[in-house]
């Protein structure tokens, strides 16, 4: 019997793939907590947009402290991070990133506790770019540059925007980094049409930015002919942006996951959360935990959970 026959089989490398979804991304924290309770700790973490932000906090070993900060966010805190501009994006984003530089360790990506990669999009040609070296904060800033909301950023001579434009749930990156089994968290499975409902609901009222957007919409509506009935008037600018982003990401996600399927897809129900509801972290995290718990039988079947 040769020595090769005595070797134990190599443990499969687990890739955790965290998808885009703006404020719904706090659900990723709840998912990670349930996975760890089930004995699952990923060997690779990949993320797009808000998934890159949470994934980076996890990869650098700061998730517990990050969770405490997220749970303490109120509406005033979220608004304080908004550097409102109209050149390139409504929210410039530097205030938020500067906070992370001051309060969380910005390690080089290739020195992180867990191998990490983020996805961004090259604005001038639409190419997908994988950020796997350099500053972790800079990579996250590029990955979250959601068009219309956050301004683009320059990176090595290229202007980058949100990775969700091309790869909202980057299973392909996890596979390229060596993952044998992929667990993907998809945040947008139930949101189609959510932001264009004309009837105000508890989910759509009281969100960040809604008041100044409402005033802007009222000013714009004064230019509309009085003969237009209320039910035919336009939704707010923010609702149009949100609905457009939802359509784009749902369609692209379906296409990418069909061609690059994950072994397990965890899909929290998050339609009741708005694009900028970063102050509702507890709600998002609870939904993340609920969806992750529902995935445990599948994870047991793969031999990953106990």
């Amino acid at each position: 019997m040769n020595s090769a026959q005595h070797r134990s089989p190599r443990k499969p490398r687990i890739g955790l793939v965290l998808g885009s979804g703006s404020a719904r991304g706090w659900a990723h924290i709840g998912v990670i907590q349930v996975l760890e309770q089930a004995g699952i700790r990923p060997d690779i973490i990949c993320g797009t947009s808000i998934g890159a932000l949470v994934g980076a906090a996890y990869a650098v070993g700061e998730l517990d402290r990050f969770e405490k900060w997220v749970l303490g966010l109120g509406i005033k805190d979220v608004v304080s991070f908004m550097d409102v501009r109209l050149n390139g994006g409504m929210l410039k984003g530097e205030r938020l990133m500067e906070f992370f530089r001051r309060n969380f360790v910005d390690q080089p990506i290739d020195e992180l506790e867990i191998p990490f990669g983020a996805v961004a999009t090259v604005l001038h040609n639409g190419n997908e770019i994988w950020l796997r070296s350099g500053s972790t904060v800079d990579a996250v800033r590029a990955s979250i540059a959601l068009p219309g909301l956050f301004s683009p950023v320059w990176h090595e001579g290229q202007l980058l925007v949100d990775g969700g434009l091309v790869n909202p749930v980057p299973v392909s990156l996890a596979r390229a980094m060596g993952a044998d089994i992929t667990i993907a968290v998809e945040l947008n499975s139930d949101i189609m049409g959510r932001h264009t409902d004309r009837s105000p609901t508890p989910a759509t009222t009281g969100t960040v930015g809604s008041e100044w957007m409402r005033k802007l919409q009222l000013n714009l509506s004064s230019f509309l002919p009085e003969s237009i009935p209320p039910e035919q008037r336009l939704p707010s600018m923010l609702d149009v942006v949100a609905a457009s982003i939802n359509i784009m990401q749902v369609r692209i996600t379906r296409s990418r996951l069909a061609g690059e399927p994950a072994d397990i897809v965890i899909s929290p129900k998050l339609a009741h959360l708005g694009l900028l509801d970063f102050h509702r972290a507890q709600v998002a995290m609870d939904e993340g935990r609920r969806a992750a718990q529902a995935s445990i039988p599948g994870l047991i079947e793969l031999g990953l959970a106990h």
Side-chain angles (χ1 to χ4, degrees), residues 127-149:
N127 286 345
E128 179 177 343
I129 185 169
W130 294 345
L131 302 171
R132 297 181 55 190
S133 63
S135 161
T136 300
V137 170
D138 287 349
V140 168
R141 175 66 185 88
S143 189
I144 68 168
L146 193 62
L149 290 179

Side-chain angles (χ1 to χ4, degrees), residues 154-226:
W154 286 103
H155 175 81
E156 297 182 355
Q158 299 183 104
L159 200 56
L160 302 185
V161 292
D162 195 295
L165 290 175
V166 289
N167 201 349
V169 186
V171 175
S172 55
L173 175 54
R175 298 282 190 201
M177 291 177 65
D180 301 304
I181 296 175
T182 53
I183 302 170
V185 185
E186 202 267 290
L187 303 175
N188 304 310
S189 62
D190 66 334
I191 61 171
M192 194 70 87
R194 142 74 174 82
H195 287 278
T196 51
D197 183 357
R198 295 187 184 92
S199 303
T201 67
T204 59
T205 56
T207 58
V208 174
S210 60
E211 183 60 24
W212 66 269
M213 275 295 183
R214 186 185 66 81
K215 290 178 180 177
L216 177 61
Q217 191 68 20
L218 286 173
N219 290 336
L220 291 175
S221 66
S222 66
F223 294 98
L224 296 174
E226 293 184 4

Side-chain angles (χ1 to χ4, degrees), residues 79 81-87 89-93 95 212:
V79 171
F81 290 125
M82 294 183 178
D83 187 6
V84 180
R85 305 286 175 89
L86 291 178
N87 54 332
M90 286 190 289
L91 316 176
K92 198 164 184 286
R95 289 182 183 176
W212 66 269

Side-chain angles (χ1 to χ4, degrees), residues 10 24 62 99 125 132 151-152 180 189 218 228 290 306:
R10 180 177 68 86
R24 292 182 285 271
E62 291 273 12
F99 171 86
N125 60 17
R132 297 181 55 190
S151 57
D180 301 304
S189 62
L218 286 173
I228 297 178
R290 191 172 293 116
H306 53 63

Side-chain angles (χ1 to χ4, degrees), residues 76-113:
K76 290 182 179 179
D77 298 304
V78 177
V79 171
S80 73
F81 290 125
M82 294 183 178
D83 187 6
V84 180
R85 305 286 175 89
L86 291 178
N87 54 332
M90 286 190 289
L91 316 176
K92 198 164 184 286
E94 267 60 46
R95 289 182 183 176
L96 179 61
M97 288 299 103
E98 196 54 43
F99 171 86
F100 280 95
R101 290 185 198 279
R102 290 196 311 268
N103 292 276
F104 296 92
V105 179
D106 181 19
Q107 297 180 19
I109 291 176
D110 51 12
E111 295 179 12
L112 295 181
E113 186 176 324

